[in-house]
Amino acid sequence: MEVLRRNRRKIAIGSAAIAATAAAGYALYRVYNKNVSKLGGWDAQGKGSDAKRASNEPETLTSDAEIEEVFQKLRQVAAKQGFSTWSPALTGDLLSPELNKVVGITAKLKELKAAAAKGGEKLELWKELKVETFAQCVAVVWGISVLNSFLSVQLMIIARISTLFKLHAPPNSELQYNDVRTLLEKELEKVIDRFMKKTLRDICSISTESAAKALDSVDLKRMMSFGDVLSTLACISSTTEFRISGKGWARTLLSAKKDGEDSDTTCSKSEAELRDQYHSNLRRVLEGQDFEFAVSVSARSVSDMLMNRCKDLFIMQTEQRSGAKRTRESEGARALPLAKVVPLVSTSTEQIIADCNPIIEYEVSKLPEVIRACADAFSVHVA
């Protein structure tokens, strides 16, 4: 057990992969199944391991190098297949007419332009477009960041519960390992489904309200430097973050009902205990600072990537307008009317949505704060 404690952060990196089979098929399960007896060596020590394990000492991982090798393999599978399994549903919702009003408003403006329409209707649509564009940008950043962190800690919890069950289930248990994994995967699906149907829509609604307040008095003709764009988005983002997480992420992401209350009332006692364990551990993780830091830093990382793309577009646009390229030293003098900034923000947001899988796999999943949140989720189960 002491070895487990010392290496729990390494274990945390890879253990999330164990449960990623819930959505990614059996690619990970084959890796896990090959190494599960080795992973169990820590918990078996000093607790009377069975004759088979005792007679096969090499099956126990004892060195840091061995632990690192196994879990790095698992980590690679999780990083690649975890978030990407749920991202189609996320991006589909973010681009749907319900949550993405930018496309609809833009289409109406094109129709009015084709009809050479002028006056109040066009102006009102432009005002609505500036708000919805900035709101969508912020909602995408937080939607991607929250879902990935939320999913990662749940995969970690499922991995640990499943591992312990496989290693220590009584011979006469009514549940088999596959039953446990399937049951917990269904619980995860219920929780993520609630995120999609409620939390994501709350994020979008709050970001729209925040954008409306921030941009209400900003005229479409107002000249904005890129610094002005950053400040505006930062204001909207911080307001949105405060409103969605001000009372704690557990309250935001979990049902107000008692843990496991939504579960099937016909389940057995063993199944009910597993569900209660899952929901109790999840709540404890979401109430911790590590999860809060993971979400916040993830959002900053995604936002930085979005803004870098927007900055490139901004520079290109100012150069086209000026008719001559400017040096980096003169970037502070670059400015565009807000009406010209709106499509740049929209394009950058669409690019981030399209690239969210590699962004999570190669950037966000490697952030120390995200790994630490996974370690916290794993350590909940370490007695």
Side-chain angles (χ1 to χ4, degrees):
M1 180 61 74
E2 183 59 29
V3 176
L4 179 62
R5 290 182 184 279
R6 291 199 309 268
N7 295 282
R8 66 175 187 153
R9 296 209 189 285
K10 294 178 183 177
I11 295 168
I13 297 174
S15 290
I18 296 174
T21 53
Y26 285 93
L28 171 66
Y29 179 68
R30 289 196 295 270
V31 177
Y32 164 73
N33 198 45
K34 182 178 179 181
N35 294 282
V36 66
S37 60
K38 297 182 180 182
L39 303 182
W42 307 316
D43 287 338
Q45 291 175 1
K47 294 187 178 181
S49 23
D50 56 40
K52 182 177 180 181
R53 186 173 294 140
S55 64
N56 191 13
E57 288 302 323
E59 284 299 306
T60 299
L61 292 177
T62 55
S63 72
D64 289 350
E66 289 178 310
I67 294 170
E68 183 74 19
E69 180 182 0
V70 171
F71 284 105
Q72 284 300 330
K73 291 178 181 178
L74 295 175
R75 180 183 182 278
Q76 291 171 7
V77 177
K80 185 174 183 179
Q81 298 185 4
F83 176 82
S84 63
T85 301
W86 298 93
S87 61
L90 174 69
T91 57
D93 278 359
L94 288 172
L95 294 173
S96 68
E98 178 189 358
L99 300 184
N100 178 17
K101 297 182 173 60
V102 173
V103 174
I105 297 171
T106 301
K108 291 180 181 178
L109 283 169
K110 288 181 179 179
E111 291 175 2
L112 292 175
K113 183 178 181 180
K118 297 181 180 180
E121 183 180 5
K122 189 175 180 180
L123 179 59
E124 288 304 313
L125 283 174
W126 264 105
K127 289 181 179 179
E128 187 178 353
L129 181 61
K130 72 177 181 182
V131 169
E132 292 294 343
T133 298
F134 278 70
Q136 183 196 32
C137 176
V138 171
V140 165
V141 167
W142 286 103
I144 291 174
S145 304
V146 175
L147 176 61
N148 180 64
S149 298
F150 194 29
L151 179 61
S152 295
V153 297
Q154 289 185 79
L155 292 176
M156 185 63 60
I157 290 170
I158 292 177
R160 182 58 180 170
I161 294 176
S162 300
T163 302
L164 288 177
F165 182 88
K166 180 156 185 139
L167 296 173
H168 303 301
N172 60 345
S173 173
E174 63 186 46
L175 295 175
Q176 299 300 314
Y177 169 74
N178 287 341
D179 299 326
V180 173
R181 202 183 74 242
T182 300
L183 183 149
L184 296 177
E185 288 166 1
K186 289 181 178 179
E187 292 302 302
L188 179 147
E189 289 173 1
K190 291 178 184 178
V191 175
I192 296 298
D193 186 60
R194 181 183 183 275
F195 171 85
M196 296 295 185
K197 292 180 177 178
K198 184 181 187 305
T199 309
L200 182 60
R201 280 151 177 77
D202 289 345
I203 291 173
C204 291
S205 175
I206 291 171
S207 63
T208 299
E209 293 174 8
S210 302
K213 291 181 180 179
L215 294 167
D216 181 58
S217 61
V218 182
D219 190 85
L220 287 160
K221 295 180 180 180
R222 175 180 168 180
M223 299 300 290
M224 298 186 73
S225 66
F226 189 71
D228 295 331
V229 178
L230 288 177
S231 298
T232 302
L233 284 169
C235 176
I236 298 170
S237 183
S238 61
T239 302
T240 301
E241 179 184 15
F242 176 78
R243 291 188 57 187
I244 61 178
S245 66
K247 295 182 179 180
W249 283 112
R251 184 165 180 174
T252 299
L253 296 171
L254 300 180
S255 171
K257 296 181 180 181
K258 184 179 178 181
D259 293 338
E261 191 174 320
D262 292 330
S263 299
D264 185 3
T265 56
T266 63
C267 65
S268 67
K269 180 180 179 182
S270 298
E271 291 173 332
E273 289 175 349
L274 277 171
R275 285 179 172 134
D276 288 343
Q277 181 184 6
Y278 173 76
H279 288 285
S280 175
N281 288 331
L282 178 57
R283 184 173 292 277
R284 288 172 61 187
V285 169
L286 298 184
E287 290 173 347
Q289 283 191 337
D290 284 333
F291 182 80
E292 180 181 348
F293 291 155
V295 175
S296 181
V297 174
S298 295
R300 190 182 310 141
S301 176
V302 176
S303 178
D304 287 346
M305 283 180 270
L306 193 156
M307 287 297 96
N308 285 336
R309 300 186 186 202
C310 187
K311 183 177 182 179
D312 291 339
L313 295 174
F314 190 92
I315 293 174
M316 290 174 59
Q317 185 73 283
T318 54
E319 288 173 351
Q320 290 174 2
R321 285 174 60 85
S322 67
K325 292 187 177 182
R326 303 188 182 193
T327 62
R328 289 283 175 182
E329 290 72 23
S330 64
E331 284 183 10
R334 300 177 188 271
L336 291 172
L338 176 56
K340 294 294 183 180
V341 172
V342 167
L344 306 184
V345 174
S346 180
T347 299
S348 302
T349 302
E350 291 172 357
Q351 290 175 353
I352 291 297
I353 294 175
D355 295 339
C356 64
N357 287 341
I359 287 173
I360 292 297
E361 179 181 353
Y362 298 113
E363 301 292 339
V364 177
S365 67
K366 297 179 181 180
L367 293 171
E369 291 80 4
V370 173
I371 296 174
R372 191 174 301 120
C374 290
D376 178 53
F378 186 88
S379 68
V380 166
H381 311 282
V382 180

